Amino acid sequence: MDIKNLNIVFMGTPEFAVESLKTLLDNNCRVLAVVTQPDKPVGRHVSTLHQPPVKQFAIERGIPVLQPEKMQDPVFLGQLEQYQADLFIVVAFRMLPEVVWNMPRFGTFNIHASLLPQYRGAAPINWAIINGEKRTGVTSFFLDHTIDTGKIIMQKPFDIPADADVEFVYNGLMKLGAELCLDTVRAIADEEGHITTCDQSLMIPDGEILHPAPKIFKETCRINWSSPMKSIHDFVRGLSPIPGAWTTLVHQGGIQQTIKIFKTSVSSRRWADVPIGGVVCEDKRMFVAVEDGSVVVESLQLAGKKRMDAKDFLNGFHDDGLWKME
């Protein structure tokens, strides 16, 4: 079966999903409609509605857009059924009820930003970097009743450079995910839905620990300065630039400031008289003492200010004695 004859409904919301949708359309896939989240109010007075990136792109390409508040709304389900889709494709969307994912004759597949079964959950890119992984990837799999557990169709690996942050890996996986999405559609079309898959339970070697990737909240992002220096460095990378790792800078007089840290490096330097979390400034460099050395802060942001290099921060900062990160 030619992919041009495959009736597709695409579901996604952020920029990450736009790349897959664009790749499908650029390769003559027949996307009948797009399903995305409702517009969100933004601004101080919450008076302006912001359209999801997928909606903006779909409108540019003249594709109908559905934005249900509830996925089991009878009106929405009726609209979906009218498209008589062969396949639903999900990229960075939301959990679907069975009545939705079981609707197309060839099923519904998802593109997930990890090498499943590792890093199931909402934030796989962040957690892979936080945990110091050297490799991740993208996976296509058919949806079932549980999040990210369905049978795997295809995977593509992606190497994580030692100092890469979330932005770098996100952009790489966004493009790789789009390639995988198209490859998966082609394979499903070639086999007319009878494609070979692999149960995730068969992909877990004996003794391997599965790492989850739960949603990240503000408190998740607080730096623990009692951790080893590499763990702190990876933690900062795994949250940079969004949502950003944060800490509290405490001055000698007791004044506290919340700061976000976006970029660090590590150093073997350690000062015997400086406690864990203590800040040492030498040669326009900002060191934070940890158990096995020090973390060098290279880029940061004070609450309410713009992001800046640590050198600029130190130039405009008055030394009032001991500083400490908490």
Side-chain angles (χ1 to χ4, degrees):
M1 182 178 186
D2 194 308
I3 59 171
K4 298 177 184 177
N5 298 323
L6 200 62
N7 292 327
I8 296 169
V9 171
F10 184 91
M11 303 184 184
T13 298
E15 178 191 15
F16 191 93
V18 172
E19 188 72 21
S20 291
L21 178 57
K22 180 179 184 299
T23 297
L24 294 174
L25 295 174
D26 289 349
N27 285 272
N28 301 313
C29 289
R30 184 189 294 171
V31 179
L32 303 179
V34 160
V35 181
T36 190
Q37 297 278 26
D39 297 354
K40 287 187 176 182
V42 295
R44 176 173 296 182
H45 302 292
V46 198
S47 57
T48 303
L49 291 178
H50 175 73
Q51 297 179 343
V54 163
K55 177 182 179 178
Q56 296 175 29
F57 182 78
I59 290 174
E60 290 174 5
R61 291 295 189 99
I63 302 172
V65 177
L66 305 178
Q67 295 179 276
E69 292 283 350
K70 297 181 179 180
M71 297 302 292
Q72 299 196 58
D73 181 345
V75 174
F76 167 65
L77 294 177
Q79 291 173 319
L80 270 187
E81 288 175 343
Q82 289 180 356
Y83 286 110
Q84 297 184 333
D86 300 306
L87 183 68
F88 289 169
I89 299 173
V90 179
V91 183
F93 190 45
R94 59 196 287 189
M95 186 174 181
L96 303 182
E98 182 176 3
V99 68
V100 174
W101 57 256
N102 200 35
M103 191 180 293
R105 63 171 179 149
F106 292 158
T108 301
F109 79 79
N110 181 68
I111 298 295
H112 186 74
S114 81
L115 295 176
L116 291 173
Q118 289 289 0
Y119 296 102
R120 294 169 175 156
I125 302 175
N126 302 90
W127 287 108
I129 300 172
I130 288 171
N131 289 335
E133 300 285 1
K134 296 180 180 179
R135 195 186 205 205
T136 184
V138 286
T139 301
S140 60
F141 67 97
F142 284 114
L143 294 190
D144 63 11
H145 295 92
T146 311
I147 294 177
D148 300 336
T149 61
K151 292 184 177 179
I152 289 176
I153 308 168
M154 295 179 179
Q155 293 186 320
K156 286 181 180 285
F158 180 88
D159 291 332
I160 304 177
D163 288 323
D165 61 13
V166 167
E167 184 173 40
F168 178 90
V169 180
Y170 179 98
N171 289 335
L173 293 184
M174 180 170 64
K175 292 180 173 57
L176 195 64
E179 294 175 11
L180 182 66
C181 184
L182 180 61
D183 288 348
T184 302
V185 170
R186 284 172 170 159
I188 290 173
D190 287 345
E191 300 298 329
E192 296 194 2
H194 303 292
I195 190 170
T196 301
T197 58
C198 182
D199 193 299
Q200 290 193 35
S201 63
L202 302 177
M203 301 179 69
I204 308 173
D206 290 342
E208 181 173 291
I209 297 174
L210 292 185
H211 299 288
K215 187 175 180 179
I216 289 175
F217 299 94
K218 179 181 178 181
E219 200 54 40
T220 313
C221 303
R222 186 166 193 168
I223 299 171
N224 177 9
W225 296 104
S226 296
S227 302
M229 59 184 180
K230 186 180 184 304
S231 294
I232 296 172
H233 175 63
D234 291 339
F235 186 79
V236 171
R237 290 193 302 125
L239 296 169
S240 180
I242 296 174
W246 66 275
T247 187
T248 301
L249 177 61
V250 182
H251 305 269
Q252 189 176 34
I255 299 174
Q256 298 185 5
Q257 288 181 292
T258 298
I259 65 171
K260 285 188 175 182
I261 298 179
F262 297 101
K263 186 176 181 181
T264 60
S265 57
V266 296
S267 171
S268 60
R269 295 193 64 180
R270 187 69 172 90
W271 294 264
D273 58 340
V274 178
I276 288 177
V279 178
V280 177
C281 299
E282 289 186 0
D283 301 324
K284 299 292 181 75
R285 301 180 74 195
M286 188 175 184
F287 299 84
V288 183
V290 297
E291 184 177 342
D292 58 344
S294 55
V295 173
V296 185
V297 178
E298 298 184 3
S299 178
L300 55 86
Q301 181 181 24
L302 291 169
K305 303 293 183 179
K306 293 182 178 180
R307 178 175 172 175
M308 67 181 79
D309 291 339
K311 288 182 180 179
D312 296 331
F313 171 76
L314 294 175
N315 284 337
F317 206 78
H318 298 292
D319 189 355
D320 60 359
L322 179 66
W323 308 347
K324 188 176 181 182
M325 300 287 195
E326 293 184 350

